[in-house]
Amino acid sequence: NTGASMTYACFDCLPPYAAWLALSERQNFVNFQKAAKRAPMSDEILSNVTILKWAYNVALTRSINWYGERYIAPMGDMFNHGTETEAEISYDENGNCMVYATTDVYAGSPLRVSYGDPTNPSPLFASYGFLDESSPATFCKVMHMKEEMEELGYTFADLLFYKDTGDISPQVYDVALYYVLKKSDPGLADGFYQTIMSGDEAAKSQYHEQYWQYTKEEMQKHVDGTLLDLDKWSEKANGYDLNTHPRVPLILAHNDFVKETFLNVKNNLDYM
């Protein structure tokens, strides 16, 4: 169910951010296929895409990322993911894998580690092929504002919509206003940019107060448009044959998670 195993039909049923992450995993697998040709393996294995995909997914999902390197440690690869974790994995200078409990663990309780950012389920969805429905938030899907996000020094993990409350992280408002100002008045946009870079919270608040209506309208336009698109993407996925597209239930669950989050955000925005 990972992005490496998805098809372009799958990508067409996902929000752009999730589709981009899944497509990146697929491209990583293509690169793995090319690299495998240099390995001392038989032509029978190298020509079998199913076996290569299995090997890639095992290496990806059973390994542990440690300062940019990936390790597979027997037993260490058996821990499940949790938003709330009970254990932490580390390696010493000799490459020995060690696991430490981070809290008191009672008999019969699970031991879980974090596979990645617990506040955003889409990267886990693309890399590990499951949806962490306990995740409290998701990236707000403003892929059309990616340039502005990066210019302000933010990452996808900063721009969050919260599922249960519909709350919006402050950085989302920053990016939305910067996006609006860049289109309408580059001089104002530059001034706003400087307040963020200098950490002048008082000046930044003045910008937000003065141009709040424009920010709100841009956010409402994005949220309403994404909700319409989610219905279209899920309708398309529901039209697929499960025998040829077995990942449809996972895709629908992901889209439902995003839709529930966006509906709560919409409710907050509409009454602001």
Side-chain angles (χ1 to χ4, degrees), residues 30-120:
V30 170
N31 293 338
F32 172 81
Q33 279 184 291
K34 293 176 181 177
K37 292 179 180 179
R38 299 178 179 273
M41 292 187 288
S42 68
D43 290 339
E44 181 182 2
I45 292 176
L46 292 174
S47 62
N48 192 319
V49 176
T50 300
I51 290 178
L52 289 177
K53 199 168 287 184
W54 173 85
Y56 174 83
N57 282 323
V58 166
L60 176 67
T61 63
R62 309 307 296 183
S63 61
I64 300 160
N65 190 335
W66 186 251
Y67 292 104
E69 298 289 338
R70 302 201 72 91
Y71 297 86
I72 296 180
M75 297 302 292
D77 65 345
M78 297 299 290
F79 290 96
N80 284 329
H81 166 80
T83 299
E84 300 292 333
T85 62
E86 296 80 25
E88 188 174 277
I89 298 175
S90 64
Y91 287 85
D92 65 17
E93 62 275 7
N94 297 316
N96 297 308
C97 179
M98 297 167 289
V99 182
Y100 296 93
T102 56
T103 185
D104 292 336
V105 181
Y106 298 98
S109 299
L111 284 172
R112 296 167 298 186
V113 299
S114 176
Y115 289 1
D117 182 3
T119 64
N120 185 6

Side-chain angles (χ1 to χ4, degrees), residues 226-236 238 255 259:
T226 301
L227 285 168
L228 289 173
D229 286 338
L230 282 164
D231 286 339
K232 292 176 185 176
W233 294 324
S234 293
E235 182 181 1
K236 186 171 187 177
N238 273 316
N255 290 358
K259 182 176 181 178

Side-chain angles (χ1 to χ4, degrees), residues 161-168 173 212 216 220 223 261-272:
F161 284 171
Y162 287 86
K163 179 186 175 189
D164 294 331
T165 63
D167 289 342
I168 301 171
Y173 294 119
W212 163 243
K216 179 182 176 181
Q220 287 177 311
V223 169
T261 304
F262 270 61
L263 284 171
N264 287 334
V265 170
K266 174 180 171 58
N267 185 62
N268 285 351
L269 280 173
D270 289 348
Y271 287 96
M272 283 182 177

